[in-house]
Amino acid sequence: MEGGDSLVRRWEDLDSDVLVKILQSFDLLDLTGPAQVCTAWQLACSDQVFWKMLDLSVLKSNFIKIPFEPYVYVDSQSDKSLTRLLKIYLNLSRGSILTLIFHYNLYVRDDQLTYTAERCPRLKRLVMPAWNRIEETGICRAIRMWEDLESLTMPSIEDPPCVMKEIGRSCKNFAELKIMGPCDLLFASTLVEYLPNLKVLSVRCTVLSKPALVIILEGLKKLEVLNISHCLITEVPPPEPMEILTELDESILEKASRLREFLTCMSDSCITCQHTRNDEGLLRWYRYEEDLWKVDEVKSLAI
């Protein structure tokens, strides 16, 4: 203290390493406040230690179902809020994000997805939101920017060849896929044609015909892990009458024996299997526990 004046320390003068340590106690989505304090704090909030993963699974759109495409109406304020948050988080991340997780019921537009892709060029794992408002051109444009993409979780795909072809062409290290919708003959054949190097596949909680399963087991030569837990396994593919198998026959088990992991559950006492049967093979996730859609028997695909 000199001349009766005390030394005043300003928050922006705090050592950046100390500030980063303090900010690590914050929830990632709460960094928007500290980032607006001053330039020094904004730089601290942009530290790569915070931005390896951006988990937006707590964000859901405010929407209602409608009877025509895109089958949902999203409140305009909900859209504006998502755009604002994406701009804040993606600007702070400065291209560091390796894992990006959207909520299943977040209805993203093409322009929002493209904006995200442009600012996450190093992305390795993506958990996609609902498909409704994303066009094929939009997802394919985004995939072309994600050359390092290795893992993808997504709802059902209306035109699998378009998307899988783009992944096979653009993402040379792609190895892991989870689909949260029907796995039919077209989908299985598409995987074999465009993603022959796939190592991990999860198609849990859906309708899976025996012929489609055979295509996967015989065609994906490098597959190491396959999860068909809680699926309705049918003898023949739709639209034929659904003859549900109660157990897998020896021919399937023999084909699957080469896999490192073959995950199955067809138990009458399993609650998740009951959900799949009650929903006739197209699980309505909103009916059940809030985070059920995050579950997967494959550890690397669980959220």
Side-chain angles (χ1 to χ4, degrees), residues 140-171:
C140 289
R141 187 183 306 117
I143 288 170
R144 284 193 289 272
M145 300 183 214
W146 287 320
E147 295 181 356
D148 296 330
L149 192 67
E150 298 174 2
S151 174
L152 175 64
T153 296
M154 67 190 319
S156 57
I157 308 172
E158 291 186 5
D159 185 7
C162 173
V163 177
M164 296 302 134
K165 183 178 181 179
E166 193 59 62
I167 293 174
R169 180 166 50 196
S170 301
C171 312

PDB file of all heavy atoms in Angstrom, residues 140-171:
ATOM      1  N   CYS A 140     -25.456 -34.404 -46.562  1.00  0.00           N
ATOM      2  CA  CYS A 140     -24.299 -34.764 -47.406  1.00  0.00           C
ATOM      3  C   CYS A 140     -23.292 -33.621 -47.464  1.00  0.00           C
ATOM      4  O   CYS A 140     -22.077 -33.854 -47.474  1.00  0.00           O
ATOM      5  CB  CYS A 140     -24.764 -35.157 -48.805  1.00  0.00           C
ATOM      6  SG  CYS A 140     -25.624 -36.763 -48.862  1.00  0.00           S
ATOM      7  N   ARG A 141     -23.778 -32.388 -47.505  1.00  0.00           N
ATOM      8  CA  ARG A 141     -22.880 -31.227 -47.491  1.00  0.00           C
ATOM      9  C   ARG A 141     -22.081 -31.197 -46.186  1.00  0.00           C
ATOM     10  O   ARG A 141     -20.883 -30.928 -46.178  1.00  0.00           O
ATOM     11  CB  ARG A 141     -23.682 -29.943 -47.655  1.00  0.00           C
ATOM     12  CG  ARG A 141     -22.807 -28.693 -47.829  1.00  0.00           C
ATOM     13  CD  ARG A 141     -23.644 -27.431 -47.912  1.00  0.00           C
ATOM     14  NE  ARG A 141     -24.661 -27.520 -48.941  1.00  0.00           N
ATOM     15  CZ  ARG A 141     -25.974 -27.477 -48.708  1.00  0.00           C
ATOM     16  NH1 ARG A 141     -26.431 -27.340 -47.468  1.00  0.00           N
ATOM     17  NH2 ARG A 141     -26.839 -27.554 -49.703  1.00  0.00           N
ATOM     18  N   ALA A 142     -22.755 -31.494 -45.072  1.00  0.00           N
ATOM     19  CA  ALA A 142     -22.074 -31.509 -43.776  1.00  0.00           C
ATOM     20  C   ALA A 142     -21.050 -32.637 -43.709  1.00  0.00           C
ATOM     21  O   ALA A 142     -19.920 -32.443 -43.244  1.00  0.00           O
ATOM     22  CB  ALA A 142     -23.102 -31.656 -42.650  1.00  0.00           C
ATOM     23  N   ILE A 143     -21.423 -33.820 -44.181  1.00  0.00           N
ATOM     24  CA  ILE A 143     -20.526 -34.976 -44.124  1.00  0.00           C
ATOM     25  C   ILE A 143     -19.238 -34.706 -44.889  1.00  0.00           C
ATOM     26  O   ILE A 143     -18.148 -35.114 -44.471  1.00  0.00           O
ATOM     27  CB  ILE A 143     -21.238 -36.233 -44.668  1.00  0.00           C
ATOM     28  CG1 ILE A 143     -22.300 -36.701 -43.668  1.00  0.00           C
ATOM     29  CG2 ILE A 143     -20.234 -37.363 -44.937  1.00  0.00           C
ATOM     30  CD1 ILE A 143     -23.210 -37.781 -44.195  1.00  0.00           C
ATOM     31  N   ARG A 144     -19.343 -33.998 -46.004  1.00  0.00           N
ATOM     32  CA  ARG A 144     -18.141 -33.689 -46.792  1.00  0.00           C
ATOM     33  C   ARG A 144     -17.139 -32.852 -46.012  1.00  0.00           C
ATOM     34  O   ARG A 144     -15.946 -32.874 -46.310  1.00  0.00           O
ATOM     35  CB  ARG A 144     -18.539 -32.984 -48.093  1.00  0.00           C
ATOM     36  CG  ARG A 144     -19.109 -33.910 -49.144  1.00  0.00           C
ATOM     37  CD  ARG A 144     -19.184 -33.247 -50.511  1.00  0.00           C
ATOM     38  NE  ARG A 144     -20.210 -32.229 -50.568  1.00  0.00           N
ATOM     39  CZ  ARG A 144     -21.484 -32.453 -50.887  1.00  0.00           C
ATOM     40  NH1 ARG A 144     -21.884 -33.697 -51.150  1.00  0.00           N
ATOM     41  NH2 ARG A 144     -22.364 -31.467 -50.938  1.00  0.00           N
ATOM     42  N   MET A 145     -17.618 -32.107 -45.008  1.00  0.00           N
ATOM     43  CA  MET A 145     -16.716 -31.292 -44.190  1.00  0.00           C
ATOM     44  C   MET A 145     -16.114 -32.083 -43.028  1.00  0.00           C
ATOM     45  O   MET A 145     -15.178 -31.622 -42.379  1.00  0.00           O
ATOM     46  CB  MET A 145     -17.479 -30.082 -43.628  1.00  0.00           C
ATOM     47  CG  MET A 145     -18.062 -29.165 -44.677  1.00  0.00           C
ATOM     48  SD  MET A 145     -18.860 -27.731 -43.903  1.00  0.00           S
ATOM     49  CE  MET A 145     -20.227 -27.445 -45.044  1.00  0.00           C
ATOM     50  N   TRP A 146     -16.657 -33.283 -42.771  1.00  0.00           N
ATOM     51  CA  TRP A 146     -16.199 -34.082 -41.632  1.00  0.00           C
ATOM     52  C   TRP A 146     -15.331 -35.244 -42.118  1.00  0.00           C
ATOM     53  O   TRP A 146     -15.665 -36.415 -41.946  1.00  0.00           O
ATOM     54  CB  TRP A 146     -17.401 -34.603 -40.853  1.00  0.00           C
ATOM     55  CG  TRP A 146     -18.097 -33.535 -40.052  1.00  0.00           C
ATOM     56  CD1 TRP A 146     -17.517 -32.534 -39.356  1.00  0.00           C
ATOM     57  CD2 TRP A 146     -19.510 -33.385 -39.864  1.00  0.00           C
ATOM     58  NE1 TRP A 146     -18.463 -31.756 -38.724  1.00  0.00           N
ATOM     59  CE2 TRP A 146     -19.700 -32.249 -39.016  1.00  0.00           C
ATOM     60  CE3 TRP A 146     -20.629 -34.086 -40.314  1.00  0.00           C
ATOM     61  CZ2 TRP A 146     -20.969 -31.817 -38.623  1.00  0.00           C
ATOM     62  CZ3 TRP A 146     -21.888 -33.648 -39.919  1.00  0.00           C
ATOM     63  CH2 TRP A 146     -22.046 -32.535 -39.083  1.00  0.00           C
ATOM     64  N   GLU A 147     -14.192 -34.934 -42.656  1.00  0.00           N
ATOM     65  CA  GLU A 147     -13.305 -35.971 -43.194  1.00  0.00           C
ATOM     66  C   GLU A 147     -12.762 -36.906 -42.116  1.00  0.00           C
ATOM     67  O   GLU A 147     -12.378 -38.036 -42.403  1.00  0.00           O
ATOM     68  CB  GLU A 147     -12.144 -35.313 -43.949  1.00  0.00           C
ATOM     69  CG  GLU A 147     -12.581 -34.539 -45.188  1.00  0.00           C
ATOM     70  CD  GLU A 147     -11.409 -33.920 -45.917  1.00  0.00           C
ATOM     71  OE1 GLU A 147     -10.264 -34.036 -45.423  1.00  0.00           O
ATOM     72  OE2 GLU A 147     -11.621 -33.333 -47.000  1.00  0.00           O
ATOM     73  N   ASP A 148     -12.724 -36.427 -40.852  1.00  0.00           N
ATOM     74  CA  ASP A 148     -12.181 -37.240 -39.761  1.00  0.00           C
ATOM     75  C   ASP A 148     -13.253 -38.033 -39.022  1.00  0.00           C
ATOM     76  O   ASP A 148     -12.953 -38.704 -38.029  1.00  0.00           O
ATOM     77  CB  ASP A 148     -11.444 -36.350 -38.753  1.00  0.00           C
ATOM     78  CG  ASP A 148     -10.224 -35.675 -39.357  1.00  0.00           C
ATOM     79  OD1 ASP A 148      -9.623 -36.257 -40.274  1.00  0.00           O
ATOM     80  OD2 ASP A 148      -9.863 -34.562 -38.901  1.00  0.00           O
ATOM     81  N   LEU A 149     -14.502 -37.969 -39.489  1.00  0.00           N
ATOM     82  CA  LEU A 149     -15.597 -38.625 -38.781  1.00  0.00           C
ATOM     83  C   LEU A 149     -15.371 -40.138 -38.687  1.00  0.00           C
ATOM     84  O   LEU A 149     -15.080 -40.796 -39.689  1.00  0.00           O
ATOM     85  CB  LEU A 149     -16.924 -38.351 -39.496  1.00  0.00           C
ATOM     86  CG  LEU A 149     -18.194 -38.742 -38.721  1.00  0.00           C
ATOM     87  CD1 LEU A 149     -18.359 -37.870 -37.488  1.00  0.00           C
ATOM     88  CD2 LEU A 149     -19.418 -38.630 -39.618  1.00  0.00           C
ATOM     89  N   GLU A 150     -15.508 -40.663 -37.467  1.00  0.00           N
ATOM     90  CA  GLU A 150     -15.300 -42.086 -37.220  1.00  0.00           C
ATOM     91  C   GLU A 150     -16.559 -42.788 -36.720  1.00  0.00           C
ATOM     92  O   GLU A 150     -16.727 -43.984 -36.930  1.00  0.00           O
ATOM     93  CB  GLU A 150     -14.186 -42.285 -36.180  1.00  0.00           C
ATOM     94  CG  GLU A 150     -12.836 -41.746 -36.612  1.00  0.00           C
ATOM     95  CD  GLU A 150     -11.796 -41.829 -35.508  1.00  0.00           C
ATOM     96  OE1 GLU A 150     -12.149 -42.353 -34.415  1.00  0.00           O
ATOM     97  OE2 GLU A 150     -10.657 -41.393 -35.710  1.00  0.00           O
ATOM     98  N   SER A 151     -17.441 -42.034 -36.038  1.00  0.00           N
ATOM     99  CA  SER A 151     -18.600 -42.647 -35.398  1.00  0.00           C
ATOM    100  C   SER A 151     -19.841 -41.781 -35.609  1.00  0.00           C
ATOM    101  O   SER A 151     -19.776 -40.560 -35.469  1.00  0.00           O
ATOM    102  CB  SER A 151     -18.329 -42.804 -33.895  1.00  0.00           C
ATOM    103  OG  SER A 151     -19.478 -43.267 -33.209  1.00  0.00           O
ATOM    104  N   LEU A 152     -20.956 -42.441 -35.941  1.00  0.00           N
ATOM    105  CA  LEU A 152     -22.202 -41.719 -36.202  1.00  0.00           C
ATOM    106  C   LEU A 152     -23.375 -42.463 -35.580  1.00  0.00           C
ATOM    107  O   LEU A 152     -23.527 -43.671 -35.763  1.00  0.00           O
ATOM    108  CB  LEU A 152     -22.424 -41.582 -37.709  1.00  0.00           C
ATOM    109  CG  LEU A 152     -23.743 -40.947 -38.169  1.00  0.00           C
ATOM    110  CD1 LEU A 152     -23.832 -39.490 -37.715  1.00  0.00           C
ATOM    111  CD2 LEU A 152     -23.882 -41.042 -39.689  1.00  0.00           C
ATOM    112  N   THR A 153     -24.197 -41.712 -34.845  1.00  0.00           N
ATOM    113  CA  THR A 153     -25.478 -42.214 -34.339  1.00  0.00           C
ATOM    114  C   THR A 153     -26.559 -41.351 -34.955  1.00  0.00           C
ATOM    115  O   THR A 153     -26.477 -40.129 -34.915  1.00  0.00           O
ATOM    116  CB  THR A 153     -25.552 -42.109 -32.808  1.00  0.00           C
ATOM    117  OG1 THR A 153     -24.556 -42.951 -32.228  1.00  0.00           O
ATOM    118  CG2 THR A 153     -26.932 -42.532 -32.300  1.00  0.00           C
ATOM    119  N   MET A 154     -27.562 -41.988 -35.536  1.00  0.00           N
ATOM    120  CA  MET A 154     -28.613 -41.185 -36.157  1.00  0.00           C
ATOM    121  C   MET A 154     -29.947 -41.901 -36.191  1.00  0.00           C
ATOM    122  O   MET A 154     -30.001 -43.141 -36.132  1.00  0.00           O
ATOM    123  CB  MET A 154     -28.203 -40.744 -37.553  1.00  0.00           C
ATOM    124  CG  MET A 154     -28.060 -41.819 -38.581  1.00  0.00           C
ATOM    125  SD  MET A 154     -27.288 -41.197 -40.103  1.00  0.00           S
ATOM    126  CE  MET A 154     -28.051 -39.609 -40.348  1.00  0.00           C
ATOM    127  N   PRO A 155     -31.036 -41.127 -36.254  1.00  0.00           N
ATOM    128  CA  PRO A 155     -32.361 -41.731 -36.428  1.00  0.00           C
ATOM    129  C   PRO A 155     -32.462 -42.414 -37.789  1.00  0.00           C
ATOM    130  O   PRO A 155     -31.479 -42.480 -38.532  1.00  0.00           O
ATOM    131  CB  PRO A 155     -33.303 -40.516 -36.332  1.00  0.00           C
ATOM    132  CG  PRO A 155     -32.515 -39.459 -35.637  1.00  0.00           C
ATOM    133  CD  PRO A 155     -31.098 -39.675 -36.082  1.00  0.00           C
ATOM    134  N   SER A 156     -33.636 -42.905 -38.100  1.00  0.00           N
ATOM    135  CA  SER A 156     -33.821 -43.598 -39.373  1.00  0.00           C
ATOM    136  C   SER A 156     -33.513 -42.679 -40.551  1.00  0.00           C
ATOM    137  O   SER A 156     -33.654 -41.460 -40.470  1.00  0.00           O
ATOM    138  CB  SER A 156     -35.268 -44.105 -39.490  1.00  0.00           C
ATOM    139  OG  SER A 156     -36.171 -43.029 -39.347  1.00  0.00           O
ATOM    140  N   ILE A 157     -33.088 -43.290 -41.651  1.00  0.00           N
ATOM    141  CA  ILE A 157     -32.666 -42.545 -42.831  1.00  0.00           C
ATOM    142  C   ILE A 157     -33.602 -42.887 -43.980  1.00  0.00           C
ATOM    143  O   ILE A 157     -33.796 -44.060 -44.316  1.00  0.00           O
ATOM    144  CB  ILE A 157     -31.220 -42.915 -43.221  1.00  0.00           C
ATOM    145  CG1 ILE A 157     -30.301 -42.766 -42.002  1.00  0.00           C
ATOM    146  CG2 ILE A 157     -30.725 -42.064 -44.372  1.00  0.00           C
ATOM    147  CD1 ILE A 157     -28.907 -43.299 -42.239  1.00  0.00           C
ATOM    148  N   GLU A 158     -34.170 -41.882 -44.593  1.00  0.00           N
ATOM    149  CA  GLU A 158     -35.120 -42.129 -45.678  1.00  0.00           C
ATOM    150  C   GLU A 158     -34.445 -42.683 -46.933  1.00  0.00           C
ATOM    151  O   GLU A 158     -35.008 -43.494 -47.635  1.00  0.00           O
ATOM    152  CB  GLU A 158     -35.866 -40.835 -46.015  1.00  0.00           C
ATOM    153  CG  GLU A 158     -36.817 -40.373 -44.915  1.00  0.00           C
ATOM    154  CD  GLU A 158     -37.640 -39.170 -45.337  1.00  0.00           C
ATOM    155  OE1 GLU A 158     -37.526 -38.762 -46.513  1.00  0.00           O
ATOM    156  OE2 GLU A 158     -38.393 -38.640 -44.512  1.00  0.00           O
ATOM    157  N   ASP A 159     -33.246 -42.231 -47.214  1.00  0.00           N
ATOM    158  CA  ASP A 159     -32.538 -42.675 -48.411  1.00  0.00           C
ATOM    159  C   ASP A 159     -31.116 -43.081 -48.025  1.00  0.00           C
ATOM    160  O   ASP A 159     -30.168 -42.317 -48.213  1.00  0.00           O
ATOM    161  CB  ASP A 159     -32.513 -41.549 -49.455  1.00  0.00           C
ATOM    162  CG  ASP A 159     -31.896 -42.000 -50.773  1.00  0.00           C
ATOM    163  OD1 ASP A 159     -31.610 -43.211 -50.913  1.00  0.00           O
ATOM    164  OD2 ASP A 159     -31.682 -41.155 -51.660  1.00  0.00           O
ATOM    165  N   PRO A 160     -30.951 -44.299 -47.464  1.00  0.00           N
ATOM    166  CA  PRO A 160     -29.638 -44.727 -46.980  1.00  0.00           C
ATOM    167  C   PRO A 160     -28.518 -44.654 -48.020  1.00  0.00           C
ATOM    168  O   PRO A 160     -27.404 -44.230 -47.689  1.00  0.00           O
ATOM    169  CB  PRO A 160     -29.880 -46.171 -46.540  1.00  0.00           C
ATOM    170  CG  PRO A 160     -31.332 -46.252 -46.260  1.00  0.00           C
ATOM    171  CD  PRO A 160     -31.975 -45.321 -47.260  1.00  0.00           C
ATOM    172  N   PRO A 161     -28.749 -45.047 -49.297  1.00  0.00           N
ATOM    173  CA  PRO A 161     -27.627 -45.023 -50.251  1.00  0.00           C
ATOM    174  C   PRO A 161     -26.973 -43.655 -50.378  1.00  0.00           C
ATOM    175  O   PRO A 161     -25.740 -43.552 -50.440  1.00  0.00           O
ATOM    176  CB  PRO A 161     -28.280 -45.457 -51.569  1.00  0.00           C
ATOM    177  CG  PRO A 161     -29.437 -46.297 -51.152  1.00  0.00           C
ATOM    178  CD  PRO A 161     -29.961 -45.644 -49.899  1.00  0.00           C
ATOM    179  N   CYS A 162     -27.759 -42.586 -50.401  1.00  0.00           N
ATOM    180  CA  CYS A 162     -27.209 -41.246 -50.556  1.00  0.00           C
ATOM    181  C   CYS A 162     -26.257 -40.901 -49.415  1.00  0.00           C
ATOM    182  O   CYS A 162     -25.117 -40.476 -49.632  1.00  0.00           O
ATOM    183  CB  CYS A 162     -28.341 -40.224 -50.623  1.00  0.00           C
ATOM    184  SG  CYS A 162     -27.798 -38.503 -50.622  1.00  0.00           S
ATOM    185  N   VAL A 163     -26.707 -41.127 -48.184  1.00  0.00           N
ATOM    186  CA  VAL A 163     -25.918 -40.761 -47.010  1.00  0.00           C
ATOM    187  C   VAL A 163     -24.714 -41.684 -46.841  1.00  0.00           C
ATOM    188  O   VAL A 163     -23.586 -41.240 -46.612  1.00  0.00           O
ATOM    189  CB  VAL A 163     -26.793 -40.784 -45.743  1.00  0.00           C
ATOM    190  CG1 VAL A 163     -25.957 -40.465 -44.505  1.00  0.00           C
ATOM    191  CG2 VAL A 163     -27.938 -39.784 -45.873  1.00  0.00           C
ATOM    192  N   MET A 164     -24.937 -42.995 -46.944  1.00  0.00           N
ATOM    193  CA  MET A 164     -23.843 -43.945 -46.745  1.00  0.00           C
ATOM    194  C   MET A 164     -22.769 -43.822 -47.826  1.00  0.00           C
ATOM    195  O   MET A 164     -21.581 -43.974 -47.565  1.00  0.00           O
ATOM    196  CB  MET A 164     -24.383 -45.378 -46.717  1.00  0.00           C
ATOM    197  CG  MET A 164     -25.308 -45.640 -45.557  1.00  0.00           C
ATOM    198  SD  MET A 164     -24.536 -45.326 -43.949  1.00  0.00           S
ATOM    199  CE  MET A 164     -25.830 -44.401 -43.144  1.00  0.00           C
ATOM    200  N   LYS A 165     -23.189 -43.513 -49.044  1.00  0.00           N
ATOM    201  CA  LYS A 165     -22.228 -43.312 -50.120  1.00  0.00           C
ATOM    202  C   LYS A 165     -21.335 -42.116 -49.822  1.00  0.00           C
ATOM    203  O   LYS A 165     -20.110 -42.162 -50.039  1.00  0.00           O
ATOM    204  CB  LYS A 165     -22.957 -43.106 -51.452  1.00  0.00           C
ATOM    205  CG  LYS A 165     -22.024 -42.947 -52.650  1.00  0.00           C
ATOM    206  CD  LYS A 165     -22.834 -42.809 -53.936  1.00  0.00           C
ATOM    207  CE  LYS A 165     -21.912 -42.685 -55.149  1.00  0.00           C
ATOM    208  NZ  LYS A 165     -22.689 -42.571 -56.412  1.00  0.00           N
ATOM    209  N   GLU A 166     -21.939 -41.037 -49.303  1.00  0.00           N
ATOM    210  CA  GLU A 166     -21.156 -39.839 -48.969  1.00  0.00           C
ATOM    211  C   GLU A 166     -20.194 -40.111 -47.825  1.00  0.00           C
ATOM    212  O   GLU A 166     -19.038 -39.651 -47.839  1.00  0.00           O
ATOM    213  CB  GLU A 166     -22.090 -38.684 -48.601  1.00  0.00           C
ATOM    214  CG  GLU A 166     -21.403 -37.337 -48.546  1.00  0.00           C
ATOM    215  CD  GLU A 166     -20.764 -36.952 -49.866  1.00  0.00           C
ATOM    216  OE1 GLU A 166     -21.487 -36.813 -50.871  1.00  0.00           O
ATOM    217  OE2 GLU A 166     -19.513 -36.808 -49.899  1.00  0.00           O
ATOM    218  N   ILE A 167     -20.638 -40.876 -46.830  1.00  0.00           N
ATOM    219  CA  ILE A 167     -19.749 -41.224 -45.719  1.00  0.00           C
ATOM    220  C   ILE A 167     -18.576 -42.063 -46.231  1.00  0.00           C
ATOM    221  O   ILE A 167     -17.418 -41.820 -45.891  1.00  0.00           O
ATOM    222  CB  ILE A 167     -20.512 -42.000 -44.628  1.00  0.00           C
ATOM    223  CG1 ILE A 167     -21.538 -41.087 -43.954  1.00  0.00           C
ATOM    224  CG2 ILE A 167     -19.546 -42.562 -43.586  1.00  0.00           C
ATOM    225  CD1 ILE A 167     -22.437 -41.804 -42.967  1.00  0.00           C
ATOM    226  N   GLY A 168     -18.883 -43.063 -47.055  1.00  0.00           N
ATOM    227  CA  GLY A 168     -17.832 -43.920 -47.594  1.00  0.00           C
ATOM    228  C   GLY A 168     -16.823 -43.158 -48.436  1.00  0.00           C
ATOM    229  O   GLY A 168     -15.638 -43.488 -48.456  1.00  0.00           O
ATOM    230  N   ARG A 169     -17.288 -42.129 -49.121  1.00  0.00           N
ATOM    231  CA  ARG A 169     -16.422 -41.346 -50.003  1.00  0.00           C
ATOM    232  C   ARG A 169     -15.607 -40.302 -49.228  1.00  0.00           C
ATOM    233  O   ARG A 169     -14.441 -40.070 -49.539  1.00  0.00           O
ATOM    234  CB  ARG A 169     -17.271 -40.661 -51.071  1.00  0.00           C
ATOM    235  CG  ARG A 169     -16.487 -39.813 -52.070  1.00  0.00           C
ATOM    236  CD  ARG A 169     -17.353 -39.465 -53.263  1.00  0.00           C
ATOM    237  NE  ARG A 169     -18.645 -38.920 -52.877  1.00  0.00           N
ATOM    238  CZ  ARG A 169     -19.686 -38.833 -53.706  1.00  0.00           C
ATOM    239  NH1 ARG A 169     -19.581 -39.271 -54.946  1.00  0.00           N
ATOM    240  NH2 ARG A 169     -20.831 -38.308 -53.294  1.00  0.00           N
ATOM    241  N   SER A 170     -16.217 -39.696 -48.218  1.00  0.00           N
ATOM    242  CA  SER A 170     -15.587 -38.553 -47.549  1.00  0.00           C
ATOM    243  C   SER A 170     -14.877 -38.889 -46.247  1.00  0.00           C
ATOM    244  O   SER A 170     -13.935 -38.186 -45.863  1.00  0.00           O
ATOM    245  CB  SER A 170     -16.647 -37.478 -47.254  1.00  0.00           C
ATOM    246  OG  SER A 170     -17.270 -37.035 -48.440  1.00  0.00           O
ATOM    247  N   CYS A 171     -15.310 -39.930 -45.553  1.00  0.00           N
ATOM    248  CA  CYS A 171     -14.805 -40.218 -44.197  1.00  0.00           C
ATOM    249  C   CYS A 171     -14.016 -41.525 -44.206  1.00  0.00           C
ATOM    250  O   CYS A 171     -14.572 -42.598 -43.937  1.00  0.00           O
ATOM    251  CB  CYS A 171     -15.958 -40.291 -43.210  1.00  0.00           C
ATOM    252  SG  CYS A 171     -17.147 -38.916 -43.333  1.00  0.00           S
TER     253      CYS A 171
END
